[in-house]
Amino acid sequence: DSGVTQTPKHLITATGQRVTLRCSPRSGDLSVYWYQQSLDQGLQFLIHYYNGEERAKGNILERFSAQQFPDLHSELNLSSLELGDSALYFCASSIREGTYEQYFGPGTRLTVT
Amino acid sequence: GQNIDQPTEMTATEGAIVQINCTYQTSGFNGLFWYQQHAGEAPTFLSYNVLDGLEEKGRFSSFLSRSKGYSYLLLKELQMKDSASYLCAAHQAGTALIFGKGTTLSVSS
């Protein structure tokens, strides 16, 4: 158990819908990272927040957005869902802004039908 | 541009030694991570190399050559539980981690 929690564990929804994935970092960690993992693309960095502020963006679609709240939990919002958005979404946290050891949550498996 | 290359699959037998190679091309390189991921589970941290050379941690060792854009993960005394995907990831300045697609290692008895 890494200490990072993610909810829900599984999510099944239809195309065109909107979902919110939630992540709570390890106690004391200020950085939160979101990743998408699909079978053909591997693990892709989406976005990084540090202490409530966006720090870096990766291959995140405009239909996706995220935020980190004052209590440091983070939410990833996915809208206008497409079949290709089906993937495992991981949240990771680390104590510092620089990328040191990242602790990954168990992931949310999203299935878009 | 950025690119991480590692073999797709490898097989080995219990008790053996296996080396998983990774080559990378990325601007603003800050360091190289290795993660282990069992099917359907979260990646777990194995090692982090910033400077050239070998870092040893128990049965696992990781090597980095910054000038060659090359790293490897060495697993000794293989056990069945080592069957997993091994992810090489480059830390690029100003962003998070750029992951390779992973090497699936199958350990047989």
Side-chain angles (χ1 to χ4, degrees), chain B residues 27-50:
Chain B
S27 55
F29 176 78
N30 275 357
L32 197 291
F33 286 81
W34 283 95
Y35 279 81
Q36 180 192 60
Q37 186 178 26
H38 286 97
E41 297 182 9
T44 55
F45 171 82
L46 290 178
S47 68
Y48 176 47
N49 293 67
V50 177

Side-chain angles (χ1 to χ4, degrees), chain A residues 33 35 43-46 92 99-102 104, chain B residues 2 4 31-35 45 48 88-92 95-100:
Chain A
Y33 308 82
Y35 294 88
L43 205 58
Q44 300 279 313
F45 165 63
L46 295 178
T99 303
Y100 295 88
E101 181 174 345
Q102 291 185 15
F104 281 76
Chain B
Q2 53 207 29
I4 312 284
L32 197 291
F33 286 81
W34 283 95
Y35 279 81
F45 171 82
Y48 176 47
C88 170
H91 174 209
Q92 185 180 33
T95 183
L97 298 180
I98 310 300
F99 279 87

Side-chain angles (χ1 to χ4, degrees), chain B residues 41-61:
Chain B
E41 297 182 9
T44 55
F45 171 82
L46 290 178
S47 68
Y48 176 47
N49 293 67
V50 177
L51 302 175
D52 285 0
L54 187 68
E55 297 272 348
E56 296 185 77
K57 192 190 285 188
R59 294 189 299 114
F60 293 3
S61 303

